Amino acid sequence: MARRLDQTDRAILRILQKQGTPSQRELAEKVGLSQNACWRRLNALREDGVIAHDTVRLNATALGLTLTVFVLMRTRHHSREWFETFRKVVGSIPNIVDFYRIAGEYDYLLKVVACDMNDFDRVYQQIISKVELDAITSYMTMETLADNRDLPV
């Protein structure tokens, strides 16, 4: 069951999504709580799984990862064995930053970041050499309009 969030919880989450790791004092001041009360709320949000983990968003372009590719994959295999192999292969490739099982004409959607087309082809070859697939289609992005947007809280 989802945790019921009040306005203060939502304010804390919005600040954390925008700023990442403000000091306890700064966060408490922004939401109008004492540091102890703010700390208790943060702990409760973590314990309830609302805050999954603390991370830093990196700039892919600054890291030389200038190509983003969305890859749609279809398979004829739907056994647990095949899926576990597929998950293991995909999970072992750091360039695959998002991985979804989807409904529709294709079965899986991957988001791949790469330095260039050769780097993407290396990822592609790793997948097809280890997993049997029925069809694959890839869409190269031309421009990022919005990425990793904050969740609506």
Side-chain angles (χ1 to χ4, degrees), residues 10-142:
R10 291 176 191 281
I12 289 170
L13 295 172
R14 281 192 296 273
I15 291 165
L16 290 175
Q17 284 190 113
K18 293 272 185 249
Q19 200 173 340
T21 54
S23 70
Q24 287 258 325
R25 192 188 78 208
E26 184 182 357
L27 182 59
E29 286 174 4
K30 286 184 176 185
V31 297
L33 293 174
S34 70
Q35 284 187 31
N36 285 339
C38 188
W39 180 82
R40 283 192 298 273
R41 282 186 182 252
L42 277 173
N43 280 342
L45 289 166
R46 284 186 177 101
E47 287 173 11
D48 292 345
V50 175
I51 297 174
H53 47 80
D54 299 320
T55 63
V56 173
R57 290 184 187 170
L58 303 178
N59 180 329
T61 303
L63 294 169
L65 300 166
T66 58
L67 179 65
T68 300
V69 183
F70 290 94
V71 181
L72 290 165
M73 299 179 161
R74 182 173 49 233
T75 182
R76 289 187 196 123
H77 306 280
H78 297 281
S79 71
R80 174 60 67 199
E81 258 181 74
W82 181 91
F83 177 72
E84 289 305 323
T85 299
F86 183 56
R87 184 195 310 235
K88 187 176 180 182
V89 168
V90 168
S92 73
I93 303 171
N95 295 72
I96 300 172
V97 295
D98 290 316
F99 172 34
Y100 302 94
R101 186 168 62 91
I102 58 174
E105 187 177 340
Y106 288 88
D107 300 306
Y108 300 95
L109 170 67
L110 311 179
K111 180 180 178 184
V112 179
V113 294
C115 297
D116 53 29
M117 189 59 80
N118 288 333
D119 193 27
F120 170 69
D121 187 52
R122 179 188 54 76
V123 171
Y124 176 86
Q125 294 298 327
Q126 279 183 280
I127 296 168
I128 66 169
S129 70
K130 296 177 182 170
V131 181
E132 186 178 342
L133 294 163
D134 185 41
I136 301 174
T137 191
S138 301
Y139 295 92
M140 284 56 176
T141 63
M142 295 171 52

